[in-house]
């Protein structure tokens, strides 16, 4: 959570550049924002406010260095005082992460009249105190970092010392190398308009940028580190809304291509992933939120195509099963961002016990991608809307391919997925979107929505619920179709809206049970049935039906949000990558 951005270089509008960069990172946190610049006279003024940075037009002019932050509150409420940057003496800094032991360090530290309730201000106090004791800026940052238990990405400006210092442990930081300027950001899209040449900062490393000069060193020993410049293949347009009103609908429509791209891996890489799975005795698929629902779909893919029973566990529940993790275990991590804290912690602890990690992420520079033994990129391109859409189907496509490859059916798997991709391409057109919008109009004022599905469509019922909840704020709940008669059916009243995923006989019987209690039935299936009050057609995709079924639901969730006057890209209380526990 939180987006951070810095620029140093031959520019006189560093403040505006940080403003533009932060707008591109706003999906990471959007409850308040702040920017600090090094003024020509040497002091460091700050502008910060609560609210979204997208509404801000102008910040300081005339500066060649600036840092900024877009916040998702952890320690301390959403107030101007708690917004970053925080300034103490000569030190101005922004922070993305969690300083777990900040209360102890605050108590032991020098006397200071704190202005905020944040953990971050404690870091600024520490660094300023160390500078007063005569340490150099690098030494001060290193010594302060030693005291921090937790995760951080820090950007620091110090009065009287030119350039910007940055350090990371557990939260992402990427350096963008311009011709005459250097950028530092939580994610590449923030500086993609200026450069696509990057260096990745690893854990326990720091960097000092000063214009085009960049010096990397170890945060532990101070030893200098050499880094390779890497060109990233992302295009600026991929990270922009273009003609679409929101990122969410743009990303839904990008599924015309992303599924095909997701499976465009060399056979050798898929085989390496399979070797890792087959060399282990126990396999745990671990993920959070929507990625967890994609992993649940994989449970069905593996059962059908390779007759393997896999374990699928939400990362936050994994501690109860960690006793089973050892050097013969494979942990398969599924994550769009590759930074999700609950998941990262399980992987780090698993690796300490000797487990192997196979990761699927959408961000090759992410921490999870970088610590994995084998990484399969999902290649969906930047996903900016908080609600995951194109990354979900890309994850499911790779998981499907993996299951087929595990059952020695890789070619068949690719063939099925190519036809899924073609079918989704045909489905995604304005006429179909209009049809889904009509259904959204029917249910937009409902306060509750139930979704049922059987087999591989059961995880999609859960995914549908997440998608609808997070963007439309309607109480949506998913169930295995056969389970409703064991309790949830008591909630059905005249007119209760129920989405029924699939058209197999048993699911239709369950739908009939709902309908006879007054439910309004919306079928999402390949064929129409008499009991459907409304029908959203899904192309027939055989064993990969769940991948196609999720698409109309994404469109429905999007239009429910828009019709209810909400911003689907930035739902309340959420952030795109959840880097706190
Ligand atoms: O980046 P990750 O895939 O690890 O994120 C996991 C969840 O936080 C994420 O899927 C979340 O549930 C989405 N907002 C759902 O659309």
């Amino acid at each position: 959570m939180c987006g951070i951005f810095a620029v140093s270089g031959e520019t006189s509008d560093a403040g505006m550049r940080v403003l533009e960069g932060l707008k591109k990172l706003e999906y990471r946190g959007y409850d308040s924002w702040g920017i600090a610049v090094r003024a020509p006279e040497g002091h460091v003024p700050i502008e910060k406010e609560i609210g979204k940075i997208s509404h801000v037009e102008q910040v300081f002019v005339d500066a060649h260095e600036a840092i900024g932050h877009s916040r998702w509150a952890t320690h301390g409420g959403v107030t101007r005082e708690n917004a970053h940057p925080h300034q103490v003496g000569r030190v101005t800094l922004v922070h993305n992460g969690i300083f777990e032991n900040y209360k102890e360090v605050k108590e032991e530290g020098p006397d200071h009249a704190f202005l905020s309730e944040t953990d971050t201000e404690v870091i600024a106090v520490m660094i300023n105190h160390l500078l007063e004791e005569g340490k150099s800026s690098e030494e001060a940052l290193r010594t302060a970092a030693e005291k921090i238990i937790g995760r951080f990405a820090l950007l620091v400006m110090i009065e009287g010392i030119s350039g910007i210092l940055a350090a990371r442990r557990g939260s992402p930081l990427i350096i963008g190398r311009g011709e005459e300027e250097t950028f530092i950001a939580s994610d590449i899209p923030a500086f993609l308009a200026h450069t696509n040449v990057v260096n990745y900062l690893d854990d326990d490393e720091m960097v000092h940028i000063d214009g085009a000069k960049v010096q990397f060193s170890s945060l532990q020993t101070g030893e200098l580190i050499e880094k390779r410049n890497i060109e990233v293949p992302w295009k600026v347009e991929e990270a922009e809304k273009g003609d679409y009103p929101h990122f969410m609908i743009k990303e839904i429509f990008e599924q015309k291509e992303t599924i095909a791209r997701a499976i465009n891996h060399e056979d050798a890489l898929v085989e390496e992933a399979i070797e890792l799975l087959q060399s282990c005795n126990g396999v745990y698929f671990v993920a959070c939120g929507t990625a967890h629902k994609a992993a649940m779909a994989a449970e069905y893919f593996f059962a059908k195509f390779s007759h393997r029973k896999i374990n699928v566990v939400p990362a936050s529940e994994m501690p109860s099963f960690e006793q089973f993790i050892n050097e013969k275990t494979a942990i398969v991590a599924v994550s769009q961002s590759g930074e999700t804290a609950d998941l990262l912690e399980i992987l780090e602890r698993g690796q300490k016990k000797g487990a192997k990690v196979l990761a699927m992420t959408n961000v090759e520079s992410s921490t999870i991608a970088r610590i994995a033994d084998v990484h399969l990129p999902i290649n969906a391109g930047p996903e900016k809307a908080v609600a995951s859409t194109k990354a979900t189907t890309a994850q499911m496509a790779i998981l499907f391919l993996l299951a087929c490859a595990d059952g020695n059916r890789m070619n068949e798997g690719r063939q099925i997925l190519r036809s899924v991709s073609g079918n989704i391409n045909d489905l995604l057109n304005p006429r179909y979107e209009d049809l889904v919008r009509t259904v959204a109009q029917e249910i937009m004022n409902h306060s509750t929505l139930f979704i049922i599905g059987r087999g591989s469509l059961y995880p999609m019922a859960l995914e549908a619920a997440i998608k609808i909840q997070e963007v439309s704020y309607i109480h949506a709940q998913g169930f295995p179709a056969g389970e409703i008669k064991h309790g949830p059916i008591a909630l059905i009243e005249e007119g209760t809206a129920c989405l029924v995923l699939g058209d197999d006989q048993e699911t239709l019987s369950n739908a009939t049970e709902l309908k006879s209690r007054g439910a309004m039935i919306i079928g999402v299936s390949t064929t129409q049935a008499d009991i459907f009050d409304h029908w959203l057609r899904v192309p027939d995709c055989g064993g990969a039906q769940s991948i196609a079924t999720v698409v109309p639901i994404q469109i429905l969730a999007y239009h429910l949000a828009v019709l209810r006057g909400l911003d689907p890209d930035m739902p309340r209380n959420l952030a795109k990558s959840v880097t706190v526990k």
Side-chain angles (χ1 to χ4, degrees), residues 288-291 334-338 340 386-388 395 466-467 470 578:
C288 302
T290 283
V334 186
S335 172
Q336 189 286 130
S337 63
T340 302
V386 164
S388 183
Q395 284 162 345
I466 295 193
K467 211 83 314 154
E470 72 180 324
V578 185

Side-chain angles (χ1 to χ4, degrees), residues 29-44:
Y30 36 84
D31 55 38
S32 50
W33 63 273
I35 295 174
V37 297
R38 192 183 296 283
E41 306 76 36
H43 64 291
V44 179

Side-chain angles (χ1 to χ4, degrees), residues 100-118:
E100 289 168 13
N101 55 330
Y102 81 104
K103 283 196 180 133
E104 293 88 303
V105 174
K106 190 173 178 176
E107 268 163 30
E108 288 162 10
D111 265 352
H112 179 74
F114 282 86
L115 299 176
S116 76
E117 305 154 285
T118 63

Side-chain angles (χ1 to χ4, degrees), residues 265 268-280 282-287 295 302 308 310 329-335 343 347 351 355-361 368-378 398-399 401-403 405-406:
H265 287 297
L269 185 59
V270 181
E271 277 153 15
E272 200 186 335
I274 291 300
E275 256 168 53
L276 185 149
L277 291 188
Q278 294 181 347
S279 67
C280 292
V283 183
Y284 283 85
F285 282 60
V286 188
F302 274 84
R308 185 198 281 269
I310 60 168
T329 312
I331 307 181
V332 182
V334 186
S335 172
L343 178 57
L347 301 181
Q351 283 186 322
K356 298 277 176 300
V357 171
L358 163 60
M360 282 158 221
T361 82
I368 291 174
R370 292 165 75 69
I371 65 165
D373 296 286
V374 178
H375 178 236
L376 281 174
I378 65 167
I398 295 191
L399 288 163
L401 188 66
L402 214 55
D406 191 38

